[in-house]
Amino acid sequence: MSDVTTRSTSSNTDLAANQETEKVLQDLQKAKQEAEDASRAKDRFLAVLSHELRTPLTPVLMSLAAMEINGDVPEAMRGDIAMIRRNVELEVKLIDDLLDLSRITSGKLMLRT
């Protein structure tokens, strides 16, 4: 009788361990799916954000370029215009880098070594 009780207890313990393992695996799969969903949402957000930030910068850069070649712009303002252009170009580069980072993390852009 003791053998039957021992086997039954062992079987119940194995069943409980298997159920716990299955629950942990399901929880891990759910967490992985949520992380992947969040990553895709982040990538979409960054793509939209970069577009929305970059779009108004193009006419600003074009206007600055026109001002730089315009002979009627006072010399005192030319330094300010050049500084504004450099800062806008830096912002464009930062936006591009942010988008590249998103592409790298999503596997859409590969780094060459």
Side-chain angles (χ1 to χ4, degrees):
M1 184 107 154
S2 174
D3 245 3
V4 172
T5 304
T6 302
R7 276 187 266 155
S8 176
T9 302
S10 176
S11 179
N12 287 342
T13 302
D14 290 345
L15 181 60
N18 286 341
Q19 288 173 340
E20 182 63 26
T21 300
E22 184 63 32
K23 180 172 179 356
V24 168
L25 288 174
Q26 288 174 353
D27 291 346
L28 285 173
Q29 183 62 33
K30 181 180 176 189
K32 179 183 178 219
Q33 185 63 47
E34 289 172 355
E36 289 171 350
D37 291 346
S39 180
R40 280 190 294 278
K42 173 203 48 115
D43 291 341
R44 281 190 305 273
F45 171 77
L46 289 176
V48 170
L49 176 67
S50 66
H51 175 74
E52 293 300 321
L53 291 174
R54 192 181 341 188
T55 299
L57 296 179
T58 300
V60 170
L61 284 171
M62 291 174 53
S63 297
L64 291 168
M67 292 169 93
E68 287 177 323
I69 61 172
N70 185 342
D72 294 336
V73 175
E75 191 61 38
M77 290 183 62
R78 292 189 181 277
D80 293 338
I81 292 170
M83 178 194 59
I84 293 168
R85 182 186 40 78
R86 285 191 306 273
N87 284 301
V88 172
E89 288 172 345
L90 177 61
E91 189 171 340
V92 168
K93 179 162 178 19
L94 290 171
I95 293 167
D96 288 342
D97 290 348
L98 183 66
L99 191 54
D100 285 347
L101 182 62
S102 176
R103 288 181 185 137
I104 290 167
T105 59
S106 68
K108 295 178 184 174
L109 181 66
M110 303 300 281
L111 295 177
R112 286 188 243 171
T113 57

